[in-house]
């Protein structure tokens, strides 16, 4: 939460404030939602809140394939992306298909600006 001002008031608005001349290709990655052994003030889900900020793209992968493909897409994206991970899924093993292990995917082309 310490970087919230920079995310919402700087990164998200750079393209708009520069009349489309300056993009802000950055990925903010972090845990999100409920977590084991923490109090209520550490268990909020920020996806909807960030999603309401114009200029931000919000990603919340479920499994390892989603995380790999969406992170690649986020890194390639010219706009700021919030990458929220479900902390309860840390350490969970997921199967990976041959297509994912060969490097397929990784595009956010269908996202609206």
């Amino acid at each position: 939460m310490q970087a919230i001002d920079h995310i919402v008031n700087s990164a998200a608005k750079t393209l708009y404030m520069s009349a489309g001349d300056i993009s802000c290709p950055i990925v903010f990655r972090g845990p999100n939602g409920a977590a084991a052994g923490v109090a209520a003030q550490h268990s909020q889900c920020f996806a909807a809140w960030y999603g309401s900020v114009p200029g931000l793209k919000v990603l919340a992968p479920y499994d390892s394939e989603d995380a790999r493909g969406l992170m690649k897409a986020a890194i390639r994206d010219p706009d700021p992306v919030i990458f929220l991970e479900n902390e309860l899924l840390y350490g969970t093993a997921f199967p990976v298909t041959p297509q994912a292990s060969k490097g397929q995917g990784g595009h956010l082309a269908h996202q609206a600006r």
Side-chain angles (χ1 to χ4, degrees), residues 25-29 57 59-61 63-85 96-109 111:
I26 189 166
V27 178
F28 298 97
R29 175 183 171 225
K57 294 179 182 175
L59 303 175
D63 61 16
S64 53
E65 281 191 36
D66 286 350
R68 182 178 185 271
L70 291 172
M71 180 57 79
K72 286 174 67 175
I75 291 169
R76 293 174 180 152
D77 200 275
D79 298 315
V81 177
I82 306 294
F83 194 90
L84 300 173
E85 301 169 341
V96 178
T97 63
Q99 293 88 355
S101 60
K102 289 181 183 175
Q104 302 297 319
H107 300 283
L108 291 179
Q111 286 277 342

